[in-house]
Amino acid sequence: MEVKNPYTHHIIINALMRGGILPDEVCQNLSEWVKVGYNTCFDCLEGRSSLCHKPPVKKHLENIASFFGGDAAEHTFGCRGAQFAVMRTVAEFVIENEDYCPTIIIDPNSHYSTNIAAEMCGLVTIEPPHSGYPEYLYDPQDFQKKINEVKEREGKLPGLVVVTHADPYYGNIAPVEEIGRICEGYEVPMLVNAAYTGGLLPIDMRQMKVDFLTLSAHKSMMSVAPLGYVVTNHKWSKLLFATSEAKPAWSGRRFGKKIPNIFGCSIGGLPLISSMLSFDRVKERVKHWSEEMAKINKFIDDLEEIEGIMLLGQRPHQHHLLHFETPKFWEISQHHRKKGFFLAEEMIKRGIVGLHRGMAKHIKFSVYGLSPEEINKVKEAFYEIGKI
């Protein structure tokens, strides 16, 4: 069976992909690792990839933790695996601690995987409101109100507050530091889901006053999927990264190096190798976030010159994920033989891929990391299609 990528030479504008595109030199270096799936396991001595010294996975995780202002990190099966690890830790914590309950507060723009992880671990979720159309913002004080509501209703504090650093719907950057200060005052643990930000812009857990940080390497750290990281501080690391205490009765076996919260030994192989190879580039590019945002906000202004097109979310925008209301393209789709599929197809004809097929009334995409020439090509393509 022949399997080819038809978009090798296209400009990619999918917001899920822009932050994860591998540098050319990393792609070249990966060739020596692709022959074997378990390519991090040749010299594993302790039965857990995060303890490997050759390749230097253990050192890499120490560097990840330090870079994001934490004390300890583990790699996970994507960011959802990282969130599950935190949720399971909190579920155990509230059972043992009478001052906390299994109700957790999650921001109203959270990714579905956050809510699924909570559901899997038996946690009850509540949300503060957002402002609705067209910005969908929320007030840090509403988190404080929810904490007080839980405390009054349950007689205990919520087990966790979860904030999505940049949400996957509008690209709004959350007021994490303000919410962090509120949580610190109540001594409620806080998780920041940085799937769309970690590796793109500067992040310091200590400055945010958060206990857990979850990351998506393939969304925001120039890595092959699926790979995530969970980072925490000394206070929580012993519980989050507690090793197995299981001892089957008949065999008496022990699995003392395995971490149950990350399914024993987490994903190694090509995703992990790619992240290790890209990490120096990741550390460098976060220094240029303000330059990227200047280009992106200029692009927003230019695209809104098309009649009726309007950005949803924060202004000025603070993230690369863009969500536009596009009545002009919706109007065209009503008379086009391909209906809502026409827009993505017209972009592909022009060498640009990444718009969701079938969507014309609203579109989400990103121009992060594109050259000025590439950004102009994307802009001109939208201009041309608007005249159909």
Side-chain angles (χ1 to χ4, degrees):
M1 179 173 61
E2 186 176 45
V3 181
K4 289 186 176 181
N5 178 2
Y7 307 116
T8 301
H9 302 294
H10 284 61
I11 296 173
I12 299 170
I13 60 170
N14 188 307
L16 296 177
M17 300 179 185
R18 282 304 322 161
I21 294 175
L22 276 66
D24 289 340
E25 63 271 22
V26 172
C27 293
Q28 294 167 6
N29 289 339
L30 281 178
S31 62
E32 65 184 83
W33 295 95
V34 298
K35 188 175 182 179
V36 178
Y38 278 90
N39 53 31
T40 54
C41 300
F42 288 114
D43 296 291
C44 179
L45 298 177
E46 303 196 59
R48 197 175 90 216
S49 57
S50 60
L51 299 176
C52 284
H53 292 277
K54 184 180 177 183
V57 180
K58 188 174 186 294
K59 182 62 177 176
H60 173 66
L61 292 172
E62 291 171 358
N63 291 338
I64 290 284
S66 176
F67 180 67
F68 289 106
D71 297 313
E74 288 284 340
H75 57 291
T76 60
F77 292 89
C79 187
R80 64 194 62 204
Q83 292 185 91
F84 172 83
V86 175
M87 299 295 184
R88 187 174 182 274
T89 299
V90 169
E92 293 178 340
F93 168 72
V94 299
I95 291 173
E96 299 295 329
N97 195 312
E98 62 182 13
D99 295 325
Y100 297 85
C101 68
T103 299
I104 67 173
I105 301 167
I106 297 181
D107 72 86
N109 294 333
S110 61
H111 192 259
Y112 76 86
S113 61
T114 306
N115 297 272
I116 294 296
E119 183 180 359
M120 289 171 66
C121 295
L123 299 172
V124 178
T125 61
I126 61 172
E127 298 174 330
H130 61 50
S131 61
Y133 178 87
E135 291 184 317
Y136 304 93
L137 301 173
Y138 49 82
D139 189 334
Q141 294 305 312
D142 285 330
F143 283 81
Q144 184 168 6
K145 291 176 183 177
K146 288 297 179 183
I147 292 173
N148 287 328
E149 284 178 19
V150 173
K151 188 176 181 181
E152 183 176 346
R153 183 177 66 248
E154 306 289 342
K156 299 180 179 183
L157 291 166
L160 183 70
V161 166
V162 184
V163 179
T164 313
H165 196 193
D167 75 74
Y169 309 108
Y170 310 102
N172 288 340
I173 293 289
V176 288
E177 292 187 20
E178 295 94 323
I179 299 171
R181 285 194 290 270
I182 291 170
C183 291
E184 183 183 47
Y186 282 88
E187 296 186 343
V188 172
M190 179 173 166
L191 159 64
V192 167
N193 178 10
Y196 286 80
T197 53
L200 296 173
L201 55 87
I203 289 178
D204 187 332
M205 290 177 62
R206 292 186 179 89
Q207 184 174 328
M208 290 179 174
K209 300 185 182 300
V210 302
D211 301 281
F212 307 101
L213 187 74
T214 56
L215 305 159
S216 176
H218 55 269
K219 284 191 180 75
S220 304
M221 296 177 69
M222 298 180 172
S223 304
V224 174
L227 182 69
Y229 295 101
V230 58
V231 188
T232 190
N233 51 35
H234 287 307
K235 175 183 176 180
W236 285 97
S237 62
K238 289 184 179 179
L239 188 56
L240 179 61
F241 301 140
T243 53
S244 173
E245 296 180 356
K247 183 182 178 183
W250 183 79
S251 67
R253 295 178 297 156
R254 291 188 179 275
F255 316 100
K257 295 293 178 69
K258 308 296 187 182
I259 299 175
N261 285 339
I262 59 169
F263 309 104
C265 177
S266 191
I267 186 169
L270 212 58
L272 182 55
I273 292 294
S274 68
S275 182
M276 294 169 69
L277 291 172
S278 294
F279 190 49
D280 285 342
R281 287 286 297 271
V282 168
K283 290 189 292 184
E284 177 59 32
R285 77 174 180 180
V286 300
K287 301 174 184 176
H288 304 284
W289 179 246
S290 59
E291 300 164 29
E292 288 292 334
M293 288 315 306
K295 290 192 297 182
I296 288 167
N297 277 290
K298 174 63 167 60
F299 175 84
I300 293 168
D301 291 340
D302 291 344
L303 200 65
E304 287 187 327
E305 291 182 7
I306 300 175
E307 180 185 359
I309 287 187
M310 184 180 78
L311 180 78
L312 301 180
Q314 285 172 322
R315 290 175 180 270
H317 213 56
Q318 299 176 39
H319 191 256
H320 73 90
L321 186 150
L322 307 176
H323 184 160
F324 286 96
E325 195 173 60
T326 51
K328 178 67 174 178
F329 297 135
W330 172 251
E331 179 185 340
I332 295 171
S333 75
Q334 300 307 291
H335 308 285
H336 199 284
R337 64 183 180 85
K338 291 191 175 182
K339 299 299 181 182
F341 289 83
F342 94 94
L343 182 57
E345 296 297 330
E346 288 292 335
M347 293 295 280
I348 289 171
K349 287 179 185 177
R350 291 164 173 79
I352 301 163
V353 68
L355 290 185
H356 193 288
R357 284 179 168 81
M359 301 291 288
K361 197 172 187 177
H362 290 255
I363 57 175
K364 290 196 302 183
F365 64 97
S366 171
V367 294
Y368 171 79
L370 296 180
S371 68
E373 294 75 21
E374 290 172 321
I375 291 176
N376 188 63
K377 184 175 179 178
V378 174
K379 180 187 71 174
E380 292 300 325
F382 278 119
Y383 283 1
E384 289 175 12
I385 296 169
K387 296 174 183 178
I388 292 177

